[in-house]
């Protein structure tokens, strides 16, 4: 029989509490030491507390094995990419992940803004609205995830990540680490969650962090990371920005478990599968499910695996197109300088961000001192544009991109093979 929510047993003329007891005390039950009060019709039932737990069912084990397998494939791709292609693809994922986490919370940003924010990290004096956001995600992308052990560090992440973006009425009270009033999540029609009581926030966060950093070989680390994501959103320590902080913490800890690319997929996946993502929280908080987090873990593993598969397909396709492009460039008989310029446009379009064009300043930054000149650049642009490899898309400053017509030729060749 398929594994079902505990609440479903009442429709099968079976006692849900008996099923809960059986599952909770089974050898495969994983208990967290984190207690929650369930939500019933938008009301938190404080008189009831249940320990958050999950059952290590075969479906979870299978998904973890699949995720780890794809992670190894993505790591192989990472190692196979040239340095420029690796950084182009990494920046693409970073921009998409930051855009998604903003979009989910209704924060307006553009991919161009986020690209500029990433670029601003190279200049300590540069100021940018999303510089803090970019700095934190760039650390994950650079393989420098960090262990977070105190509530004070969570607050510091909030300050860096979102504090400047929250409305005045959502600002944390002076001299307080976390909100000092209640918070309810929902809309005009229904409340779906009530955050933890203010006086319990710090204690609950510490329990979450201790659990997150737990070294227990009997508790699959990916399950631990995902259950911690539920814990953080359950606590809801801030008036606003909880989603962005929570998804950052999730990405940060996925960086310890999987390849870099895999750690930067969950916000994009949450936006693309919003109903499934939010349903996972609702199921776990349902009074009749006795704080079982099995379906939360299962749903998020499915979202992660699906996102990994898409990225693996995209990289594989890009590699095949690149092989076709090599043949075209051999036939063009370009100089070394012209060929390098072409590959910079190509890598940016095929592996890089949604901001597809490059300026001469962008191209110049990839050359050693004295190896680039505007005269050589203009000559290369004219030749590459004349052969249909690139096209001009802007003036003052001049901007070029890989020609869509040329890219279509590569895609058609790839599809026919």
């Amino acid at each position: 029989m398929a594994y079902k929510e505990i609440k479903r047993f009442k429709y099968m003329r079976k006692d849900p509490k008996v099923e809960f007891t059986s599952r909770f005390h089974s050898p495969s039950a994983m208990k967290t030491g984190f207690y929650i009060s369930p939500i019933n019709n938008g009301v938190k039932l404080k008189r009831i507390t249940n320990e958050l737990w999950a059952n290590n069912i075969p479906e979870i084990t299978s998904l973890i094995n699949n995720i780890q397998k794809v992670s190894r494939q993505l790591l192989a791709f990472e190692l196979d990419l040239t340095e420029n292609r690796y950084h182009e693809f990494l920046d693409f994922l970073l921009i998409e992940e930051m855009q998604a986490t903003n979009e989910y919370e209704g924060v307006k940003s553009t991919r161009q803004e986020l690209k500029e924010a990433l670029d601003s990290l190279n200049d300590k004096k540069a100021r940018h609205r999303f510089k803090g956001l970019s700095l934190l995600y760039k650390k994950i992308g650079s393989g420098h995830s960090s262990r977070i052990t105190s509530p004070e560090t969570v607050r510091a992440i909030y300050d860096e990540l979102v504090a400047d973006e929250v409305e005045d009425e959502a600002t944390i009270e002076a001299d307080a680490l976390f909100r000092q009033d209640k918070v309810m999540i929902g809309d005009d029609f229904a409340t779906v969650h009530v955050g933890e009581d203010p006086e319990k926030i710090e204690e609950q966060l510490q329990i979450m962090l201790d659990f997150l950093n737990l070294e227990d070989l009997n508790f699959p680390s990916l399950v631990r990371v995902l259950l911690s994501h539920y814990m953080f959103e359950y606590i809801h320590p801030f008036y606003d920005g909880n989603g962005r902080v929570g998804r950052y913490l999730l990405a940060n800890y996925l960086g310890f478990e999987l390849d870099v690319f895999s750690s930067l997929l969950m916000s994009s996946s949450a936006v693309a599968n919003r109903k499934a993502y939010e349903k996972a929280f609702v199921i776990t908080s349902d009074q009749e499910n006795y704080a079982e987090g099995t379906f939360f873990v299962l749903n998020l593993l499915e979202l992660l695996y699906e996102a990994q598969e898409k990225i693996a397909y995209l990289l594989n396709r890009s590699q095949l197109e690149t092989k076709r492009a090599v043949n075209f460039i051999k036939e063009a008989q370009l100089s070394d300088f012209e060929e390098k310029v072409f590959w910079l446009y190509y890598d940016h379009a095929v592996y890089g961000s949604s901001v597809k064009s490059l300026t001469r300043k962008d191209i110049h930054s990839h050359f050693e001192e004295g190896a680039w000149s505007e005269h050589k650049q203009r000559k290369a642009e004219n030749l590459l544009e004349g052969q249909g490899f690139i096209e001009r898309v802007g003036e003052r400053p001049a901007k070029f991109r890989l020609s869509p017509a040329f890219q279509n030729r590569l895609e058609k060749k790839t599809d026919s093979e």
Side-chain angles (χ1 to χ4, degrees), residues 3-4 6 23 28-30 52-57 59-60 223 227 280 283-284 289 291-301:
Y3 196 82
K4 300 180 184 296
I6 292 174
R23 291 183 184 185
S28 60
M30 300 174 289
L52 179 66
W53 61 285
N55 208 342
N56 195 9
I57 59 176
E59 291 88 339
I60 286 178
V223 173
L227 285 175
I283 290 173
T284 307
N289 282 326
E292 182 177 8
T294 305
F295 291 95
F296 184 85
V297 172
L298 194 61
N299 287 1
L300 265 63
L301 287 174

Side-chain angles (χ1 to χ4, degrees), residues 82-96:
T82 65
E83 182 178 0
N84 187 57
R85 286 171 192 157
Y86 173 80
H87 287 293
E88 286 282 12
F89 194 72
L90 178 61
D91 282 358
F92 161 71
L93 290 180
L94 286 167
I95 289 170
E96 291 304 306

Side-chain angles (χ1 to χ4, degrees), residues 120-351:
S120 75
L121 299 179
N122 298 320
D123 183 353
K124 291 183 179 180
K125 295 181 180 179
R127 297 179 61 84
H128 195 283
R129 174 187 172 198
F130 295 117
K131 191 168 186 176
L133 174 73
S134 299
L135 178 63
L136 289 176
Y137 271 95
K138 187 74 172 182
K139 287 180 180 177
I140 299 173
S142 302
H144 296 134
S145 289
S146 56
R147 297 285 177 188
I148 299 160
T149 58
S150 71
E152 289 79 8
T153 304
V154 174
R155 173 57 194 266
I157 290 169
Y158 166 84
D159 290 339
E160 188 79 26
L161 203 63
V162 301
D164 291 341
E165 294 294 316
V166 301
E167 301 292 337
D168 289 343
E169 61 268 23
T171 302
I172 301 298
E173 294 84 351
D175 301 322
L177 273 179
F178 305 106
R179 59 178 171 80
Q180 298 298 296
D181 202 351
K182 66 180 181 180
V183 64
M184 303 173 74
I185 302 91
D187 54 30
D188 294 337
F189 303 100
T191 297
V192 296
H193 182 61
V194 179
E196 185 59 276
D197 293 339
E199 65 272 15
K200 295 181 181 178
I201 289 175
E202 226 173 308
E203 178 187 359
Q204 286 281 69
L205 274 177
Q206 191 61 65
I207 293 171
M208 181 205 84
L209 293 171
D210 290 344
F211 173 73
L212 186 52
N213 293 298
L214 184 69
E215 293 186 8
D216 184 351
L217 296 178
N218 295 317
F219 209 124
S221 52
L222 267 179
V223 173
R224 190 176 65 248
V225 169
L226 296 180
L227 285 175
S228 298
H229 184 55
Y230 172 85
M231 293 177 189
F232 182 83
E233 300 303 338
Y234 172 85
I235 298 168
H236 235 71
F238 309 106
Y239 292 112
D240 192 14
N242 295 282
R244 281 168 285 169
V245 175
R247 286 187 294 276
Y248 166 77
L249 294 175
L250 177 57
N252 178 69
Y253 273 86
L254 286 176
F256 287 112
E257 309 302 331
L258 303 169
D259 67 286
V260 167
F261 292 167
S262 293
S263 69
L264 296 170
L265 300 176
M266 282 307 299
S267 290
S268 299
S269 187
V271 168
N273 302 276
R274 189 168 188 138
K275 286 185 178 180
Y277 176 69
E278 293 179 350
K279 184 180 179 182
F281 288 95
V282 172
I283 290 173
T284 307
S285 297
D286 192 309
Q287 177 189 2
E288 296 181 287
N289 282 326
Y290 295 90
E292 182 177 8
T294 305
F295 291 95
F296 184 85
V297 172
L298 194 61
N299 287 1
L300 265 63
L301 287 174
E302 287 172 347
L303 295 183
L304 176 57
Y305 180 52
E306 181 182 333
Q308 280 184 308
E309 291 265 88
K310 289 179 180 177
I311 292 300
Y313 172 80
L314 178 60
L315 280 170
N316 185 58
R317 186 180 180 86
S318 296
Q319 294 286 69
L320 291 173
E321 288 179 16
T322 300
K323 290 179 181 179
R324 308 287 82 74
V326 168
N327 294 331
F328 279 109
I329 294 308
K330 283 182 179 178
E331 294 174 5
Q333 296 183 328
L334 304 175
S335 69
D336 289 345
F337 181 87
E338 292 159 352
E339 187 171 331
K340 180 170 181 176
V341 170
F342 165 80
W343 285 117
L344 290 172
Y345 287 119
Y346 177 89
D347 292 351
H348 191 65
V350 175
Y351 295 92

Side-chain angles (χ1 to χ4, degrees), residues 36-40 42-47 193-197 234-235:
I36 71 170
S37 292
I39 303 294
N40 185 24
V43 177
K44 176 175 279 190
L45 304 177
K46 294 184 180 181
R47 69 182 187 279
H193 182 61
V194 179
E196 185 59 276
D197 293 339
Y234 172 85
I235 298 168

